[in-house]
Amino acid sequence: MNVQIEPSWKEAIGAEFEKTYFKQLVTFIRDEYNNQIVYPPGKMLFNAFNYCPFNEVKVVIIGQDPYHGQGQAHGLSFSVQDGVPLPPSLENIYKELVSDLEIPMPTSGNLTHWAKQGVLLLNTVLSVREKEPQSHQNKGWEFFTDAVIRAISEKDEPVVFILWGSPAQKKEAIIDSGKHFILKAVHPSPLSAYRGFFGSKPFSQTNAFLEKQGKTPISW
């Protein structure tokens, strides 16, 4: 199956595209895009991979499923396009970023500049119907994104995995914790952020680890 994705990812996880679950997923997704309003736009489905090649992954931030409002989702977890108001979770991420690194509050919610530095902004489910959160759960995306996480875990070089919330933390079971640096906290949602997200300092901890590995820190 000829999936349009950045070549290094096709090499790393291309076998997934020939599996039965993925072919069934493609059939479902095509039908959804043809008959429903689905986010992100089809050409942006694999943006997380296209902005951050497999060989360049230094950090993985795992989200759940895309934003389900018009003009928000563009294929990167927690990110919104320029000019779109900050969703509450991203606003809390930025509050922690400002507190952690003592930098000014970012003016845009577009996290493409993170992705281009080696931060894979991965949702566990890559698509959603408009105004129907979690509507594309259990259709096959989870098998695919688990394969992505396993492929990264098998890399020789240590990677930082940032797991916010219980769905993301369930992925810890498929990550080699002896090799990689895993940061966990509650989800940045307003419902939980005050129970341990604020003050968790993920950005400074990530950069300290990268520098210890001799890698360039992320310019958050």
Side-chain angles (χ1 to χ4, degrees):
M1 186 170 288
N2 186 26
V3 176
Q4 299 301 309
I5 195 170
E6 194 275 335
S8 68
W9 283 107
K10 186 166 278 193
E11 188 175 331
I13 55 171
E16 298 300 307
F17 304 142
E18 304 304 323
K19 293 183 179 179
T20 300
Y21 85 83
F22 196 86
K23 293 176 181 178
Q24 293 171 342
L25 172 63
V26 168
T27 300
F28 167 76
I29 292 297
R30 281 180 179 154
D31 184 64
E32 287 286 285
Y33 273 103
N34 286 335
N35 296 290
Q36 307 287 338
I37 298 174
V38 175
Y39 300 126
K43 66 180 188 295
M44 296 182 175
L45 259 182
F46 294 111
N47 266 359
F49 306 94
N50 294 332
Y51 282 123
C52 182
F54 179 73
N55 310 330
E56 296 175 19
V57 174
K58 298 194 287 190
V59 182
V60 183
I61 298 179
I62 300 176
Q64 194 163 355
D65 63 348
Y67 296 123
H68 52 87
Q70 184 177 2
Q72 292 182 306
H74 64 126
L76 306 175
S77 65
F78 296 106
S79 180
V80 291
Q81 301 188 69
D82 290 319
V84 175
L86 298 182
S89 291
L90 181 55
E91 191 170 353
N92 284 338
I93 290 169
Y94 277 177
K95 286 178 181 176
E96 177 61 19
L97 175 65
V98 169
S99 169
D100 186 6
L101 300 183
E102 300 181 349
I103 60 174
M105 175 67 77
T107 55
S108 170
N110 191 329
L111 304 179
T112 301
H113 65 291
W114 291 7
K116 289 180 176 179
Q117 296 177 76
V119 181
L120 183 68
L121 294 161
L122 180 69
N123 279 316
T124 54
V125 173
L126 300 189
S127 57
V128 69
R129 280 189 191 179
E130 183 178 48
K131 298 178 182 176
E132 292 186 42
Q134 302 178 20
S135 49
H136 285 183
Q137 279 192 336
N138 302 318
K139 302 297 183 182
W141 279 131
E142 292 90 346
F143 293 119
F144 175 71
T145 52
D146 278 3
V148 169
I149 293 167
R150 284 193 185 96
I152 297 168
S153 180
E154 289 168 6
K155 289 174 67 140
D156 292 333
E157 291 189 351
V159 169
V160 182
F161 285 87
I162 298 177
L163 311 179
W164 289 330
S166 56
Q169 288 176 24
K170 288 177 182 175
K171 304 302 182 187
E172 185 177 9
I174 57 174
I175 300 168
D176 183 348
S177 58
K179 184 195 306 177
H180 303 291
F181 184 44
I182 300 174
L183 290 169
K184 296 184 289 186
V186 298
H187 196 275
S189 157
L191 299 173
S192 54
Y194 287 94
R195 299 203 303 268
F197 177 76
F198 291 130
S200 60
K201 299 188 180 301
F203 307 102
S204 59
Q205 288 194 74
T206 294
N207 280 353
F209 180 81
L210 292 175
E211 288 178 322
K212 187 177 175 183
Q213 299 296 322
K215 297 181 180 179
T216 305
I218 306 299
S219 178
W220 301 102

